[in-house]
Amino acid sequence: MMKKLSIIYLLGMVALTSCVEDEGCNTMSELNEAKIEGIDDSYYKVADVETLDIPVKVTGSLSGDDMSGFDFEWYICSKDIGNTKHTHTVISHDRDLSYSLKGVTPGSYTIYFRATNEATKLIYEKSCYLNVISPYVRGFYLYGDKEDGTVGIDFVSMLDERDTTVIADMFDNAKGIRHAKDLVFTGCTGMGEAKANLEYLYAVTDDGSYSLTHTSTESKIGFSAADINELAWPTIATVKKPFKVLDILPHAYGPSNMMRSRTARYVMTDQAMFFGSLYQAESYGNPANCYVQGDDKLVQMSPYGFYPNNSSYTSAVYLFDRTNHKFVKLSSTYSSNTNLTSVTETSQGAFWLDQSKYTPVRDLVYGENGKGNNGASYALMKDADDKYYVYVFRAVSSYSFVKMAAKNINLDVATDFAKASHYAFYSNQYIVLYSVGNDLWAYNYNSNKAEKVKSFDGEITYLAFDVHSGGNADDIIVATWSPSAKGTVYKYEVEDSPNDLKINEKSYATKSYPWKTNLKVVKVEYRNCKE
């Protein structure tokens, strides 16, 4: 008996796919079935930037284009890997989907579209896959002040096969920090979660430094608890927490943004310089800016470090001791508790490393590592008579410091050089760029020739060569500010010509260039990290 009833039940269910019984007159009516078209199998979209737009064609087998008898619903489904539970979130009741991906966590999802016959309650469904890509993997942090003086961060998102997009107001400045000075990013280890704790993003302001979050899956940057004050445990009384981070050396390398400080790093702070060998774990003892290990007599350091910038590997970083006016190095790079040592010189060469040998004494004003010229480094020096000098050298290793050239800056030719707000050394030639107000100048300190290469509509607030993001020693970034236009960020290419001092604006096939921001940008920092 049960078998016969089952057969009768199944036959009844089959009949329902094509008709429905009208109990009032005991007749059968044909079903109005929905046909769904226009939904692709998969979509690839960018979180926080793009919208998932899916125009759908739905037709009824009886009603044609008239779908007034149907209800529509879209929902998104996500499921953690290895977890049988999943979540359904309704995202629209319209036939055509227009779903903003603002705030959607990057990952893989399934999208479902349902058309429900109001009369029969039968559901017709089609699904597709949605892969949401993070816009924060590759691009530039734009760091600066808003008009009220509080710190802000925008991000120039540069994804393959997508328009470059400026994502504004990423920073959740819950502490209300003000007056941006610098943004320090270590780059990426590329070694997964095991080494992710070595990655840092620091916002530096007039009064302190603040460790920030920086994962590519988050659409907002916030404050992080992990910073130098949790890692440094000095025992001498001449330094006290908190420490203000000024820089972490060596900087990241190349388009991959590879962290060069993943095995050893120099942390420059307002009170001391800490060195750490990171083979075991990251921790810092007493400062290394002394000449006897563990000594409380610390010397003042310039916040610049010199090393070959054309290599992914750094065996030594040379520093400048401002107290004793000389270039120095660490005595060891294999211990977290170490000290400075002087470099032995047998002759002057292009210049003395000990600047007290000059009268008047010279001190370091600005330092930079170039990609061209075989990875040469550049130091801008100044003495008490307000005379400027450029040193060119290669800080190859702890055993090799190659002095290449020393040149005087002719202030009669280099107009307003002493008034410059920013300097940048072009490493393919003996050229230094400098900014004065709205004007960008180039000075060849070998041929003693100067030229105003560009006048901008706003004040130049940032100037630096970008030798890593595109692997090009000619690329330079300029940021400007004016009350009317707000912030603007440009990329230029210095013309590598022995006769001309000229820059050419880069060409980008994107609607968002030049990059506009409401920030007065003080730092443009490259990032390329999947995590």
Side-chain angles (χ1 to χ4, degrees):
M1 184 68 178
M2 284 294 293
K3 185 175 181 181
K4 290 181 179 179
L5 287 174
S6 298
I7 292 172
I8 293 170
Y9 176 77
L10 289 172
L11 289 172
M13 289 300 294
V14 170
L16 277 176
T17 64
S18 58
C19 60
V20 64
E21 182 177 355
D22 184 344
E23 294 182 356
C25 60
N26 201 31
T27 60
M28 304 298 289
S29 300
E30 196 174 349
L31 287 176
N32 186 21
E33 297 178 319
K35 181 181 179 182
I36 302 170
E37 299 175 287
I39 301 177
D40 294 338
D41 291 336
S42 60
Y43 295 87
Y44 293 84
K45 291 293 179 179
V46 181
D48 292 330
V49 174
E50 295 182 337
T51 300
L52 177 62
D53 293 313
I54 307 179
V56 182
K57 182 180 180 181
V58 185
T59 53
S61 59
L62 298 179
S63 61
D65 292 336
D66 181 9
M67 300 301 293
S68 57
F70 283 81
D71 292 327
F72 303 115
E73 183 178 77
W74 292 87
Y75 62 91
I76 188 169
C77 172
S78 63
K79 182 172 69 175
D80 294 334
I81 296 175
N83 192 344
T84 57
K85 294 182 179 180
H86 57 265
T87 59
H88 293 278
T89 304
V90 176
I91 56 177
S92 178
H93 289 284
D94 297 326
R95 183 188 63 184
D96 296 336
L97 180 65
S98 183
Y99 177 52
S100 170
L101 297 177
K102 184 72 176 177
V104 175
T105 302
S108 297
Y109 301 87
T110 305
I111 301 286
Y112 291 91
F113 172 71
R114 283 180 172 177
T116 304
N117 189 314
E118 294 176 356
T120 65
K121 305 304 180 185
L122 290 178
I123 297 172
Y124 302 87
E125 183 177 272
K126 185 170 177 58
S127 66
C128 61
Y129 294 107
L130 171 63
N131 188 22
V132 181
I133 308 165
S134 170
Y136 309 110
V137 171
R138 180 175 178 268
F140 293 97
Y141 292 112
L142 305 182
Y143 176 71
D145 285 337
K146 299 179 180 180
E147 290 189 84
D148 63 359
T150 58
V151 168
I153 301 175
D154 292 351
F155 190 73
V156 181
S157 177
M158 306 179 76
L159 297 178
D160 292 339
E161 301 180 358
R162 290 292 200 281
D163 267 352
T164 296
T165 305
V166 179
I167 303 171
D169 203 20
M170 281 189 68
F171 182 34
D172 182 10
N173 189 356
K175 296 182 180 180
I177 63 174
R178 301 171 62 84
H179 307 310
K181 299 297 290 184
D182 197 6
L183 189 70
V184 178
F185 186 48
T186 57
C188 312
T189 64
M191 302 170 73
E193 293 184 5
K195 292 290 185 179
N197 59 343
L198 296 177
E199 299 173 8
Y200 292 97
L201 179 69
Y202 277 99
V204 185
T205 65
D206 278 344
D207 62 357
S209 64
Y210 304 85
S211 182
L212 307 180
T213 60
H214 54 85
T215 62
S216 63
T217 57
E218 296 176 328
S219 59
K220 280 289 186 180
I221 293 173
F223 293 96
S224 172
D227 69 2
I228 184 64
N229 295 295
E230 301 298 319
L231 301 170
W233 301 97
T235 60
I236 61 174
T238 46
V239 294
K240 297 184 184 301
K241 296 180 182 180
F243 300 108
K244 175 182 175 180
V245 172
L246 302 179
D247 205 354
I248 298 176
L249 303 169
H251 296 159
Y253 173 77
S256 66
N257 202 216
M258 187 184 75
M259 182 192 294
R260 276 188 290 200
S261 59
R262 65 191 182 278
T263 57
R265 62 180 47 166
Y266 303 69
V267 182
M268 313 296 292
T269 76
D270 56 336
Q271 299 181 59
M273 187 270 288
F274 295 96
F275 175 79
S277 177
L278 309 181
Y279 285 103
Q280 296 296 324
E282 185 178 14
S283 63
Y284 305 95
N286 283 323
N289 53 315
C290 55
Y291 288 89
V292 177
Q293 186 170 305
D295 199 343
D296 62 356
K297 297 179 179 63
L298 304 180
V299 299
Q300 191 176 28
M301 306 298 294
S302 178
Y304 303 103
F306 302 101
Y307 50 86
N309 207 18
N310 63 342
S311 172
S312 61
Y313 176 73
T314 303
S315 62
V317 174
Y318 284 78
L319 307 158
F320 190 79
D321 172 359
R322 295 174 62 182
T323 301
N324 297 292
H325 316 286
K326 59 182 180 180
F327 292 90
V328 295
K329 63 179 181 179
L330 287 186
S331 62
S332 171
T333 56
Y334 300 100
S335 169
S336 293
N337 293 317
T338 186
N339 54 273
L340 302 173
T341 185
S342 300
V343 181
T344 302
E345 292 186 280
T346 56
S347 63
Q348 178 179 356
F351 56 90
W352 290 108
L353 294 180
D354 184 353
Q355 299 297 291
S356 64
K357 291 182 178 291
Y358 296 106
T359 305
V361 171
R362 302 173 185 178
D363 277 308
L364 180 66
V365 174
Y366 173 74
E368 186 177 326
N369 300 298
K371 180 179 175 65
N373 201 6
N374 203 17
S377 296
Y378 301 82
L380 178 63
M381 314 300 295
K382 180 186 174 184
D383 65 20
D385 292 335
D386 291 329
K387 293 181 179 179
Y388 289 83
Y389 313 86
V390 176
Y391 295 164
V392 184
F393 52 91
R394 291 185 63 235
V396 182
S397 68
S398 59
Y399 307 103
S400 177
F401 187 100
V402 182
K403 305 172 188 178
M404 299 170 65
K407 302 288 183 178
N408 298 337
I409 300 291
N410 188 335
L411 298 180
D412 293 330
V413 176
T415 304
D416 290 334
F417 188 87
K419 298 178 182 179
S421 57
H422 302 85
Y423 301 99
F425 284 97
Y426 179 41
S427 59
N428 278 340
Q429 289 193 47
Y430 284 177
I431 293 173
V432 58
L433 301 182
Y434 63 98
S435 63
V436 182
N438 295 26
D439 298 329
L440 180 61
W441 288 81
Y443 174 64
N444 188 313
Y445 47 88
N446 189 49
S447 64
N448 192 30
K449 180 180 178 182
E451 189 79 36
K452 185 191 294 185
V453 294
K454 182 75 176 178
S455 288
F456 292 90
D457 293 334
E459 173 196 0
I460 297 172
T461 59
Y462 177 78
L463 167 68
F465 274 93
D466 171 34
V467 303
H468 291 302
S469 72
N472 187 1
D474 302 334
D475 284 359
I476 190 165
I477 296 180
V478 181
T480 65
W481 168 265
S482 71
S484 57
K486 310 303 181 188
T488 308
V489 181
Y490 307 87
K491 281 199 76 172
Y492 287 88
E493 215 171 12
V494 177
E495 193 162 301
D496 191 4
S497 167
N499 302 314
D500 298 321
L501 295 172
K502 187 178 179 182
I503 62 171
N504 302 305
E505 191 165 358
K506 301 277 281 188
S507 177
Y508 287 96
T510 174
K511 294 176 289 186
S512 67
Y513 181 81
W515 304 317
K516 301 294 295 181
T517 174
N518 288 324
L519 302 175
K520 189 173 185 178
V521 176
V522 300
K523 184 66 176 292
V524 178
E525 185 75 0
Y526 176 61
R527 169 197 170 90
N528 188 3
C529 299
K530 293 180 180 179
E531 293 84 16

